[in-house]
Amino acid sequence: MSARRLAISQPDNFKLSASAKKKIASWVKKYPKDRQRSALIPALWIAQKDAGGWIPEAALREIGDMLGMAYIRVYEVVTFYTMFNLEPVGEHHIQLCGTTPCWLRGSDDLIAVLERRIGPRGSVSEDGKLSWVEVECLGACANAPMAQISNSQDDLYYEDLTAENFEALLDNLQSGGVVKGGPQNSRHTSEPEGGNTTLKGEGPYHEEKIVYLPNAEKKTKLSTHGGGAPKAKRKPAKTKPAASAAKGVSASKPKAAKPKVIYTDGPTDGAPDDLKKIKGIGPKFEGDLNSKGIYYFRQIAAWKAADVKMVEELIDSIPGRIKRDEWVKQAKSLAKQLSSQASKQGAKS
Ligand code: FES
């Protein structure tokens, strides 16, 4: 690893924000007394986010004081890990992997793109949007070549890069667009391109076949929802007779049936909605959602927090993204539009 030094030009009066200090203090509390320095890595990470993507020297001193550590110890750690930036970076900071698997799969072509568009390693683009460094293996070799791109919100992996899709990705970032992390080709996570090549036939875990868990002490039925945990049987809800019915008043309009969270037999309630109308869902996410039995705006509109968590796991989405992109809110409004269109059409006919 090359020598890493603090930036020559440092801000005059940098101080960690109150919220960053509060977060660091909460990390310190996780460790036993006299072991506060164990919080050093998370403290540096918090400071880096707080300072806009890099760590000024003043922040190192503040952290040393907070953790009761000699400044030199803080310096030793921050100069060792390439995840800590010692110079100002662009709005989107690119860490490109140049280790053997990524190199064999074309990381040199990506470096050529970065050098042409941004400059030599460690440069920031003129518009301040992009900066880049080369790093060692980031552990995503199955999707080589790849880069991690960080900004104030996210630290995402962008995988299966080529010079062409990387150019397009950088264009998008520079123009303020949103680029979904993960494979930048048609692959789903690290699965083979074009879909699975094994475990496709009838077997103990085949989606359609209800079987019992092998080796389980009790015979436990598998769910038919694609291998998830078995679902507990729900007791039928006790229903109170409506007050109006008790008084002999005729019941008001019946409520529409609640949509299913997952349709295991395909879109049985009509043609699927165009889920791509929800900002944050592209063709890839739509395919993933459909493959898990989610086809309609009204389904998404009815999600509760637990459903969101389950769906994020099902489609391998980053935790918190569905909430951040407001899928449920958007789905509610799209479902409402569809239902008012349908009632207008019904009134005409
Ligand atoms: S070699 Fe690039 S991620 Fe492992």
Side-chain angles (χ1 to χ4, degrees):
M1 190 200 306
S2 57
R4 285 160 43 81
R5 309 247 183 264
L6 300 184
I8 292 173
S9 170
Q10 293 283 337
D12 288 336
N13 296 308
F14 179 84
K15 284 213 181 322
L16 288 171
S17 69
S19 83
K21 283 188 185 168
K22 201 171 154 195
K23 282 185 204 161
I24 293 172
S26 82
W27 273 94
V28 170
K29 274 197 210 140
K30 296 183 185 190
Y31 298 98
K33 217 168 173 272
D34 301 328
R35 292 285 186 274
Q36 290 89 339
R37 62 189 172 178
S38 300
L40 179 56
I41 298 276
L44 289 169
W45 188 253
I46 291 164
Q48 177 159 289
K49 288 286 179 199
D50 192 49
W54 72 292
I55 310 185
E57 190 204 357
L60 301 180
R61 292 177 188 274
E62 271 192 88
I63 289 171
D65 291 339
M66 286 178 83
L67 305 187
M69 290 176 74
Y71 298 151
I72 185 67
R73 296 283 174 235
V74 182
Y75 178 83
E76 283 166 354
V77 172
V78 80
T79 50
F80 179 80
Y81 291 106
T82 53
M83 64 197 245
F84 298 124
N85 303 313
L86 305 178
E87 308 242 4
V89 295
E91 193 180 312
H92 302 279
H93 180 60
I94 301 158
Q95 295 180 66
L96 184 91
C97 174
T99 304
T100 312
C102 281
W103 174 69
L104 286 169
R105 297 274 297 159
S107 63
D108 278 354
D109 296 340
L110 308 179
I111 288 175
V113 169
L114 291 168
E115 284 178 338
R116 177 167 46 75
R117 292 184 64 131
I118 306 175
R121 287 164 179 74
S123 303
V124 181
S125 61
E126 276 178 16
D127 61 3
K129 293 272 182 188
L130 304 174
S131 57
W132 81 283
V133 289
E134 184 180 337
V135 294
E136 298 299 334
C137 179
L138 290 171
C141 324
N143 292 70
M146 59 77 64
Q148 176 178 322
I149 305 184
S150 304
N151 57 33
S152 57
Q153 304 286 323
D154 286 317
D155 300 278
L156 298 182
Y157 277 15
Y158 294 83
E159 301 156 325
D160 296 301
L161 297 170
T162 61
E164 293 73 36
N165 67 25
F166 196 39
E167 290 266 18
L169 189 157
L170 298 180
D171 284 343
N172 217 331
L173 292 178
Q174 268 184 306
S175 61
V178 178
V179 187
K180 185 175 164 301
Q184 299 299 301
N185 58 7
S186 57
R187 283 173 84 181
H188 177 245
T189 63
S190 304
E191 290 172 5
E193 260 187 281
N196 288 353
T197 56
T198 55
L199 301 174
K200 292 171 74 172
E202 291 280 322
Y205 297 103
H206 189 267
E207 283 186 352
E208 303 306 325
K209 200 172 163 188
I210 298 172
V211 294
Y212 292 97
L213 280 173
N215 308 325
E217 279 182 25
K218 280 191 203 163
K219 273 198 160 187
T220 310
K221 244 181 186 179
L222 285 174
S223 98
T224 55
H225 301 308
K231 272 195 168 179
K233 268 196 179 173
R234 278 204 189 151
K235 282 188 188 167
K238 283 182 189 166
T239 49
K240 267 192 185 174
S244 57
K247 286 177 194 163
V249 181
S250 66
S252 57
K253 218 167 76 178
K255 273 195 175 177
K258 209 178 163 212
K260 296 179 195 172
V261 175
I262 303 278
Y263 282 73
T264 48
D265 300 322
T268 49
D269 277 354
D273 296 333
D274 181 1
L275 301 184
K276 297 190 292 305
K277 286 189 177 163
I278 295 176
K279 194 173 149 270
I281 298 184
K284 172 76 176 50
F285 264 153
E286 185 183 50
D288 290 348
L289 289 166
N290 288 171
S291 73
K292 303 298 177 193
I294 298 157
Y295 303 96
Y296 304 110
F297 297 137
R298 55 186 181 276
Q299 270 179 287
I300 298 175
W303 286 352
K304 301 280 177 267
D307 301 319
V308 168
K309 191 162 175 272
M310 177 193 74
V311 172
E312 278 178 338
E313 281 168 16
L314 280 176
I315 63 171
D316 275 340
S317 170
I318 293 169
R321 167 161 288 188
I322 292 178
K323 189 173 175 203
R324 189 195 70 194
D325 289 352
E326 299 186 317
W327 289 15
V328 176
K329 190 174 164 196
Q330 293 184 64
K332 277 182 185 163
S333 129
L334 288 160
K336 210 168 161 188
Q337 280 173 30
L338 282 186
S339 116
S340 78
Q341 278 167 13
S343 45
K344 274 180 197 162
Q345 277 171 359
K348 275 185 198 167
S349 58

